[in-house]
Amino acid sequence: MNAPIIQQQSVGSSTVPSVRVKSQYWKRAFPYYFMILPGLLYLLIFRYAPMFGLFIAFKKYSPFQGVWGSEWVGFDHFVRLFTESDFLLLLKNTLILNLLDVLVAFPFPILIAVLLNEVGRKYWKNSIQTIMYAPHFLSWVVIVGITMLLFRTQDGGINALLGSLGLNRIELMTDPHYFRFVWLFHNIWQGAGWGAIIYLASIASIDPALYEAARVDGASRLRQILHITLPSLKTIILIMLILRLGNFIDVGFEHVFLLQNPLNLEVSDVFETYIYRQGLVQGDFSYVTAVGLFKSVVGLVMVVSANAIAKRFGEEGVY
Amino acid sequence: MKQLSMGDRLFTFFAYTFLVLFTALILLPLLYIIITSFAPAKDYLTRGFFLIPSHWTLDAYQYLLHNPGFVQSFKNSIFITVIGTFINITVTSMMAYGLSESWIKGRSAVNFMILFTMLFSGGLVPTYLVVDSLHLIDTFWALWLPAAVAPFNVIVMRSFFASLPYELKESSRIDGCGEWRMFAKIILPLAKPAIATFTLFYMVGNWNTYFSAVIYLNDDSKWPLQVFLRQMLVINDERVGLLNEALYTYTPSARMAAILVSALPLLVIYPFLQKHFNKGMLVGSVKG
């Protein structure tokens, strides 16, 4: 499904307008540069300037001495991070959450797309899609808020129901045992339907003749999925997986932060919330910049190696 | 062969069941929130679990509308979303179009710069220091500018512009149409569905903005709705007050109503744009 666009691009480049005369090139190209400029300025100021700002990870930044005046401390902050007792906890929590997400939440959209493709009736398909996409438009504040309302000890809908049935009420938000489950469930609830779009579009581009031939040969629906649909989705699944692996050290600040409370810190504390707490709340700017740099480098290494591995196996990769 | 068709029927049954259950799982909490937001406060104290309010009332909504903090943050969110989305879509589509022509020199360098920001970032504090040094703290610009462009969206839109038939542009050039006029008269009308889709995406992002408001806005009169909602719903603060007003107490109905009011603008708009998402316009984009 990448093919058409790439083809069209190459068609475009084969009919390059005659730009041999320099002044003519600039006259024609000027509007394009002009349009690129605001976006380029944005990248330089808000994306690349902060990357240069990363050198404060090697300094002892103080607001009074400024970025330039602060003294250099080499790798002190990194040594502190790796020897900090919290480090292993942060790493463990981050890895467990990501592992759960990749193993359970990642396949969900694929499953939904494949099953949705089996739904023949247009009306059903459309209704299911409309409802399944909706949570994507709700913020984490709203989703966490709904969960808290439903599980209020006394009058929350689900706990009131459990109570009236004579069952134990669930302290969903304060009992640390539930944290990972709630987090994972939210991810699926919010993202699985929306995530299916990309796979649905991919399925739509499969040549119907393949299914036709399989039916003639007497292949069951399940076999058609196993031997036609899933193999056709292999490339896009791999691309999505590579992109996902690039985020393996990220958990998504807002969601975890909103679910976090002093009671579940032991399972909910991750690098992002740690950076927020130590940095913006406690003001230890240099140290958390070092933590952030560590996180960014790990992310970069993950995505580059996942991409390289994909290419080694003869797949396209992301870039 | 007969066995297989039996299997097929079972499989179809499984597919429907799974999808209907998943849909119900999404729908039921939302329906519960909607219905109970119309319940009088005393229902929660006296009735335990209930689905249908003892009588239908708009108390919760009236209560919210008379809360200056809620109203102010709602207005802030609308302002942030309208201006923010305008900036997003203008800068993104211009950049994407500018980069869509393969004969533009320096194009691949900028493309690489866009891709690289998706793989590596300066992180929270360095970005904060940049925003701080530009004196944007406590202004809405701190929400708009650092999030002006989502690099991924530029890449998707760029492939969209590049996929427009080249003959179209060539023939208008031959007819003597300037590049600017061509953009306005030919390209933009064709790009309407794409622009509509990305406008929606950016709107969602702006409306739901929370974290950047927490870090960049200390002044609570500038708080967007999400920050206000968090105080109200998640911190479980029974008495959230903004603007040094008298403290407000939120009943469960008022909380439900707040959720509904905050989710409504997007939930109302999106079905109208839904048809565009499925066209695969978004796909084929992962690759530059």
Side-chain angles (χ1 to χ4, degrees):
Chain A
M1 109 264 94
N2 284 315
I5 285 167
I6 290 164
Q7 240 171 17
Q8 274 152 343
Q9 268 175 340
S10 56
V11 168
S13 55
S14 68
T15 50
V16 175
S18 52
V19 287
R20 278 183 210 105
V21 187
K22 220 176 175 185
S23 65
Q24 206 185 339
Y25 170 80
W26 284 106
K27 194 174 168 238
R28 177 168 281 183
F30 173 75
Y32 293 89
Y33 287 116
F34 188 84
M35 286 196 222
I36 295 171
L37 190 65
L40 187 62
L41 284 176
Y42 163 77
L43 287 180
L44 291 174
I45 297 171
F46 291 103
R47 299 281 181 151
Y48 283 90
M51 287 185 208
F52 285 103
L54 278 171
F55 70 81
I56 66 165
F58 304 96
K59 284 193 154 199
K60 190 177 172 190
Y61 173 76
S62 99
F64 306 107
Q65 288 163 313
V67 173
W68 306 108
S70 309
E71 84 183 89
W72 292 94
V73 295
F75 284 89
D76 280 10
H77 297 301
F78 293 92
V79 172
R80 179 181 154 196
L81 171 66
F82 297 132
T83 53
E84 190 90 58
S85 60
D86 286 337
F87 178 71
L88 283 179
L89 182 77
L90 296 172
L91 195 65
K92 188 181 115 193
N93 286 337
T94 305
L95 293 185
I96 289 178
L97 289 178
N98 271 308
L99 211 60
L100 280 174
D101 192 66
V102 168
L103 291 178
V104 184
F106 181 82
F108 234 84
I110 305 169
L111 181 68
I112 288 175
V114 168
L115 293 182
L116 207 55
N117 193 45
E118 298 298 310
V119 171
R121 299 204 187 127
K122 198 109 201 161
Y123 177 78
W124 275 83
K125 200 172 173 177
N126 284 342
S127 319
I128 292 173
Q129 278 176 303
T130 305
I131 295 167
M132 277 196 319
Y133 296 164
H136 174 78
F137 296 88
L138 302 177
S139 66
W140 286 121
V141 177
V142 164
I143 293 172
V144 173
I146 291 176
T147 313
M148 293 186 93
L149 279 173
L150 288 174
F151 284 91
R152 274 162 71 101
T153 313
Q154 281 312 315
D155 53 22
I158 291 177
N159 268 337
L161 180 65
L162 289 174
S164 65
L165 294 172
L167 299 168
N168 282 338
R169 291 165 194 265
I170 300 170
E171 296 296 337
L172 195 73
M173 306 312 279
T174 47
D175 188 338
H177 290 104
Y178 293 117
F179 171 79
R180 286 176 185 141
F181 170 77
V182 174
W183 181 82
L184 185 64
F185 179 84
H186 277 169
N187 281 356
I188 294 171
W189 193 84
Q190 193 212 29
W194 185 257
I197 291 182
I198 195 150
Y199 300 110
L200 278 170
S202 243
I203 291 174
S205 69
I206 299 174
D207 185 358
L210 288 175
Y211 292 105
E212 203 89 5
R215 262 197 299 273
V216 170
D217 289 347
S220 68
R221 299 295 278 268
L222 194 60
R223 276 188 166 277
Q224 292 176 29
I225 288 172
L226 290 178
H227 296 290
I228 301 173
T229 316
L230 287 180
S232 318
L233 289 179
K234 199 176 73 179
T235 307
I236 185 71
I237 291 175
L238 206 75
I239 289 176
M240 299 309 284
L241 193 63
I242 294 171
L243 291 174
R244 179 66 192 77
L245 289 181
N247 289 328
F248 213 76
I249 197 88
D250 291 303
V251 180
F253 173 85
E254 282 188 19
H255 188 195
V256 172
F257 180 68
L258 291 163
L259 287 172
Q260 195 169 69
N261 57 51
L263 295 169
N264 66 17
L265 211 55
E266 204 179 309
V267 285
S268 69
D269 207 13
V270 292
F271 287 110
E272 285 129 304
T273 50
Y274 182 72
I275 288 174
Y276 174 74
R277 216 172 44 244
Q278 296 288 326
L280 294 184
V281 180
Q282 313 242 357
D284 207 343
F285 279 14
S286 276
Y287 174 56
V288 298
T289 304
V291 182
L293 180 56
F294 163 73
K295 214 166 67 68
S296 294
V297 169
V298 172
L300 185 63
V301 169
M302 294 282 297
V303 79
V304 169
S305 30
N307 203 53
I309 292 170
K311 281 189 172 159
R312 174 76 49 90
F313 283 99
E315 292 293 337
E316 276 189 88
V318 179
Y319 51 88
Chain B
M1 282 299 125
K2 260 179 193 160
Q3 216 181 348
L4 284 177
S5 80
M6 181 63 190
D8 279 356
R9 239 178 290 164
L10 259 176
F11 183 73
T12 312
F13 177 74
F14 168 76
Y16 272 87
T17 315
F18 178 86
L19 291 170
V20 167
L21 283 180
F22 187 69
T23 314
L25 195 65
I26 288 168
L27 210 53
L28 291 179
L30 297 178
L31 277 178
Y32 178 79
I33 298 286
I34 294 172
I35 294 173
T36 51
S37 71
F38 295 105
K42 69 169 176 13
D43 275 13
Y44 293 91
L45 296 172
T46 55
R47 293 179 62 199
F49 180 72
F50 65 95
L51 277 178
I52 308 297
S54 61
H55 69 268
W56 298 80
T57 165
L58 286 173
D59 282 358
Y61 292 90
Q62 260 165 1
Y63 189 74
L64 281 181
L65 291 181
H66 287 103
N67 175 343
F70 184 83
V71 174
Q72 179 65 42
S73 59
F74 196 88
K75 281 185 193 159
N76 289 344
S77 273
I78 290 177
F79 186 63
I80 290 167
T81 304
V82 170
I83 308 282
T85 308
F86 177 76
I87 295 173
N88 293 146
I89 200 70
T90 313
V91 180
T92 304
S93 49
M94 279 181 16
M95 189 180 203
Y97 182 69
L99 292 169
S100 69
E101 289 273 359
S102 52
W103 49 271
I104 295 289
K105 288 174 191 161
R107 165 184 184 268
S108 51
V110 180
N111 282 340
F112 178 78
M113 282 178 71
I114 294 173
L115 182 71
F116 189 69
T117 58
M118 291 170 67
L119 304 178
F120 191 82
S121 82
L124 180 63
V125 167
T127 311
Y128 180 87
L129 291 177
V130 168
V131 174
D132 188 33
S133 67
L134 294 172
H135 303 288
L136 301 179
I137 302 288
D138 264 334
T139 69
F140 287 141
W141 293 104
L143 304 186
W144 292 327
L145 294 183
V149 175
F152 183 74
N153 292 353
V154 178
I155 295 179
V156 179
M157 269 198 128
R158 188 188 65 203
S159 357
F160 169 78
F161 284 127
S163 74
L164 293 176
Y166 203 78
E167 294 76 9
L168 202 74
K169 300 173 84 174
E170 201 60 348
S171 63
S172 74
R173 278 187 188 125
I174 290 165
D175 290 346
C177 178
E179 299 291 329
W180 285 110
R181 228 178 94 199
M182 185 169 76
F183 182 64
K185 297 276 175 199
I186 297 171
I187 306 296
L188 276 185
L190 283 173
K192 254 186 208 157
I195 289 176
T197 311
F198 283 101
T199 304
L200 178 75
F201 291 167
Y202 276 126
M203 263 174 72
V204 175
N206 285 315
W207 184 260
N208 287 342
T209 188
Y210 165 74
F211 184 44
S212 43
V214 170
I215 50 181
Y216 296 131
L217 301 180
N218 304 312
D219 176 0
D220 60 9
S221 70
K222 291 204 172 80
W223 275 2
L225 194 54
Q226 301 297 331
V227 180
F228 185 84
L229 275 178
R230 184 202 171 222
Q231 301 296 100
M232 180 174 169
L233 299 167
V234 179
I235 298 192
N236 237 346
D237 194 346
E238 300 278 344
R239 301 165 303 165
V240 187
L242 273 191
L243 317 165
N244 300 322
E245 65 195 312
L247 293 175
Y248 274 73
T249 308
Y250 296 105
T251 61
S253 306
R255 291 160 194 252
M256 312 265 181
I259 286 178
L260 196 64
V261 171
S262 71
L264 215 56
L266 296 176
L267 291 183
V268 166
I269 299 170
Y270 115 85
F272 295 103
L273 289 164
Q274 196 203 332
K275 57 176 190 272
H276 300 307
F277 318 148
N278 287 340
K279 285 194 180 148
M281 199 218 83
L282 293 169
V283 192
S285 45
V286 185
K287 262 195 119 73

